[in-house]
Amino acid sequence: MINILIVGSGGREHALGWKLSASPGVDSVYFAPGNGGTKNNVDVKADDIEKLAQFAEKNRCLTVVGPETPLAMGIVDAFEKKGLPIFGPTRTAAQLESSKIWAKNFMKRNGIPTARFEIFDEAVKAKEYAKSVNHPLVVKADGLAAGKGVVVCSNQQEVIKAIDEILVEKKYGSAGNRIILEEKLDGIELSYIAISDGNTAYPMATSQDHKRAYDGDLGPNTGGMGAYSPAPIVDDDLAKEIQQKIIEKTISSMKKEGIPFKGFLYAGIMISEGKPFVLEFNARMGDPECQPIMVRMKSDLLEYVQACIHGNLSSLPEISWDDKSAVCVVMVAKGYPESYPKGEEILGLDVEDRDSIVFHAGTRVESGRVLTDGGRVLGITATGNTLQEAISKAYRRVSEISWPSKFCRTDIGKKGIVVTK
Ligand code: AMP
Ligand code: GLY
């Protein structure tokens, strides 16, 4: 039996811990720092690597890292140096996410399909280039900007404004010391996530996120307002193409370059004219994609995590999945992703409901009351024999939970139903 330490505090971490706690090989699951819905919370922040290592060592934990920041800071390198088991990529491998420029150059030199791009560190040159091309552009800050830092522009003025904000006004600090100007692709987006030991990569179930804040994919980009799995747009041929040309190519190229990638590899993909292109890599599980994926996973996650750490993933069969559909509706505090209130009491959480799981994110417990404590508050997750059934169950539960600034999209999963017709 083994103890688990989950690093992070979001819905993704709650779902990972929920799945791992169901493993026959797991004793206790700890969360650092966790949230109002997770038990065994450890009062250590996700970026306090030294204290996390002390806790993991003392409690003989296998550590699973949720968010990108500790990965980009080198939590895996630090733990491995101390001989502590940890699941995730090293700091250098996590550059696939922490430096968009590094990732784009990596894709270019290894022939991984992605949009055409140029790199700039001077606003004047970037603007000259923007004026010289006649296709729509996307402006991206190089570094981590908490899910922001990408501006999809519809005209030249917007490009110029984004260049100024990132390179001149330093809206994202040093994350915007360099930018990418990238060709805008049209198409359908999906999340393709795999698990890898550095040599082999097995696909997780397919999923689709809803990035925009409002119904109909309108409003600002967010971390994700809801997700569902499987994504019917990915048929077997497309899945095979993404697996071979993007995932396996990335894993083998990372290995060839001497920086093997262990952990969850998340490719944000645009299907444009029937072909998959990488919009971004994440060096971690998606949030909220993780929630519907975990509820559909039939295999024992612990076995796969351990095999990745030991480098023998190929000794296991591919992961097996429940045929059911799953959906996660994210309930947010109104105003997210900009400013929003915190500290509001959440009512309706104690209703008995076997049809859904409430994964917590931005919540905390104070004097026995559960309060909102972030933008994304809860992820209501349900399964069904059809996607429509899963959606109905999730929204039924959503309607029973309330707090003053409660908000959610009302169309999570709908795009999956349109495709299946
Ligand atoms: P990223 O963080 O790079 O995935 O960008 C955030 C969002 O911006 C993506 O989920 C897409 O919706 C959009 N995006 C990024 N790159 C492009 C692109 N080249 N063409 C169109 N949309 C893009
Ligand atoms: N849901 C998108 C992400 O995890 O980055």
Side-chain angles (χ1 to χ4, degrees), residues 100 115 138 140 150 152 182-185 189 211 221 270 279-280:
K100 287 184 188 291
V138 179
K140 298 186 174 185
V150 173
V152 182
E182 178 174 310
E183 180 180 16
K184 182 177 164 193
L185 299 175
E189 271 188 80
K211 297 227 159 148
N221 260 323
M270 182 79 88
L279 294 181
E280 64 164 343

Side-chain angles (χ1 to χ4, degrees), residues 11-34:
R12 165 185 51 210
E13 288 74 22
H14 193 176
L16 287 170
W18 171 85
K19 178 66 186 163
L20 283 165
S21 65
S23 166
V26 169
D27 198 354
S28 297
V29 178
Y30 299 96
F31 296 84

Side-chain angles (χ1 to χ4, degrees), residues 209 211 223 266 282 284 286-289:
D209 187 10
K211 297 227 159 148
Y266 169 138
N282 292 319
R284 53 170 174 83
D287 187 346
E289 292 93 328

Side-chain angles (χ1 to χ4, degrees), residues 295-311:
V295 299
R296 290 191 58 227
M297 186 170 179
K298 290 208 289 195
S299 311
D300 181 354
L301 178 58
L302 176 67
E303 278 188 26
Y304 286 81
V305 164
Q306 285 180 317
C308 286
I309 291 173
H310 297 128

Side-chain angles (χ1 to χ4, degrees), residues 12 68 97 147 191 193 208-211 222-227 266 280-282 284-290 376:
R12 165 185 51 210
E68 61 276 17
E97 175 168 7
S191 310
I193 303 168
Q208 248 180 326
D209 187 10
H210 299 64
K211 297 227 159 148
T222 69
M225 297 294 287
Y266 169 138
E280 64 164 343
F281 280 120
N282 292 319
R284 53 170 174 83
M285 246 294 172
D287 187 346
E289 292 93 328
C290 185
R376 293 195 287 178

